[in-house]
Amino acid sequence: KKNMMSFRHGFIVTLFALTLLPVPLLAHEGAQHEAPVLEGYTPDLLNGKDINLTCAGCHGAQGEGSKDGVYPRLAGQLTDYLERQLRLFKDRNRPNIPMHPYAQERELPEEDLRDIAAYFNSIQISITIKPGPGDRVKGAKLFRTGCKRCHGARAEGKPYEKGRKKHGPALAEQYASYLLKQINLFRSGLRPSKIMREELEDYTEGDIADIVAYIAALERHPGLSEKKAHETQEKIQFILRDLSTQPFKDEKGKTAP
């Protein structure tokens, strides 16, 4: 009981300390972060699938997130965005207490980081999202005049490319409550991003609710029904199982013992 009290005390102190961190000490998400060089590295989806056994406890077996929006949907998210966020977690430049035990070099080296990001990106699912109380029609107009520059015409996301100024994650079919929480973190500065803070400063609370209602109702993969999504995932799982049973061959084509 004493140990549990000490743990809770430490947890609360750590969380409180993070809220007091001055924003300049934290790297801004909008800044360009060059990925570590791994010459010729190809993401291993089988390893990503294994790593997901840990992630699934919060983010779901297929990266679908939690229906209450506490944990976001990761399925189908842009690979480069997932990689960048995981590096921010590892560097403690994006404060997130639940992620800290998993996002450290010993638990998540760069190779594993790329494998799990690629695995989540490969998952195509369709989920039903409660859009929230906002006005979708008004939200659509606001989204098209602002948000789409970075997040794409249908909130499908725009991957980071060197020299591209506008890039951002996929937002379609993301939980409305999660989106609202992140927007509030951006606006308060607790999730540092100069770009997001500037983009959001002219929006009212009503505007935000309208935009979120519109985004949450968009399909991540247009035309992908829940049945088709299930069939697509079965095919992916079959390919992964097939790969895992094939014997390993060296560069000369000889089967390894």
Side-chain angles (χ1 to χ4, degrees):
K1 187 174 181 180
K2 186 176 180 180
N3 290 338
M4 179 59 71
M5 289 178 67
S6 297
F7 172 79
R8 288 177 179 171
H9 176 74
F11 180 88
I12 292 169
V13 169
T14 304
L15 183 60
F16 180 67
L18 281 171
T19 64
L20 296 179
L21 277 176
V23 171
L25 291 181
L26 299 172
H28 286 280
E29 282 188 42
Q32 294 182 0
H33 301 280
E34 295 299 329
V37 177
L38 292 178
E39 291 291 345
Y41 187 76
T42 301
D44 183 343
L45 293 183
L46 276 173
N47 186 45
K49 181 184 178 183
D50 288 341
I51 296 169
N52 187 44
L53 294 175
T54 299
C55 309
C58 295
H59 293 283
Q62 294 190 79
E64 70 273 17
S66 58
K67 291 184 178 180
D68 57 7
V70 172
Y71 299 102
R73 169 195 173 135
L74 302 179
Q77 185 56 269
L78 300 180
T79 304
D80 72 285
Y81 177 77
L82 290 172
E83 289 181 2
R84 192 161 64 253
Q85 297 309 305
L86 286 170
R87 292 189 191 105
L88 287 169
F89 287 138
K90 287 179 70 173
D91 296 338
R92 302 299 185 259
N93 284 318
R94 180 178 170 185
N96 188 301
I97 297 294
M99 281 297 298
H100 286 178
Y102 308 104
Q104 50 185 316
E105 187 61 28
R106 185 182 65 181
E107 300 295 331
L108 193 68
E110 181 65 23
E111 292 86 349
D112 285 359
L113 182 152
R114 296 192 187 193
D115 293 346
I116 187 60
Y119 178 70
F120 278 132
N121 174 259
S122 73
I123 299 175
Q124 293 190 9
I125 58 173
S126 178
I127 56 180
T128 302
I129 302 290
K130 291 182 179 179
D135 186 320
R136 294 189 214 175
V137 176
K138 291 181 180 178
K141 291 179 180 178
L142 291 167
F143 181 87
R144 289 168 190 153
T145 56
C147 315
K148 81 169 188 178
R149 291 195 299 269
C150 293
H151 295 285
R154 290 190 56 81
E156 73 278 12
K158 286 186 178 180
Y160 167 71
E161 293 176 7
K162 201 165 186 177
R164 174 185 276 180
K165 293 183 179 180
K166 302 294 184 180
H167 56 88
L171 302 177
E173 274 188 31
Q174 186 60 271
Y175 298 100
S177 56
Y178 177 79
L179 291 173
L180 284 170
K181 178 182 177 181
Q182 298 310 306
I183 286 170
N184 288 331
L185 289 174
F186 282 130
R187 297 177 94 177
S188 68
L190 291 176
R191 182 174 173 182
S193 173
K194 182 180 178 182
I195 294 173
M196 284 299 298
R197 203 168 185 182
E198 289 176 351
E199 289 289 338
L200 292 167
E201 63 184 3
D202 292 330
Y203 291 120
T204 66
E205 294 296 326
D207 291 338
I208 296 296
D210 294 342
I211 292 170
V212 167
Y214 172 70
I215 292 173
L218 292 173
E219 293 181 330
R220 178 74 58 91
H221 305 285
L224 184 71
S225 65
E226 291 192 17
K227 181 180 179 182
K228 186 177 179 182
H230 181 69
E231 290 173 351
T232 301
Q233 276 310 109
E234 283 190 333
K235 288 178 182 178
I236 292 173
Q237 297 304 322
F238 176 79
I239 292 170
L240 289 172
R241 285 195 298 270
D242 187 50
L243 286 171
S244 66
T245 58
Q246 290 180 10
F248 174 78
K249 294 184 179 182
D250 61 21
E251 294 179 355
K252 295 180 180 179
K254 293 183 179 180
T255 301

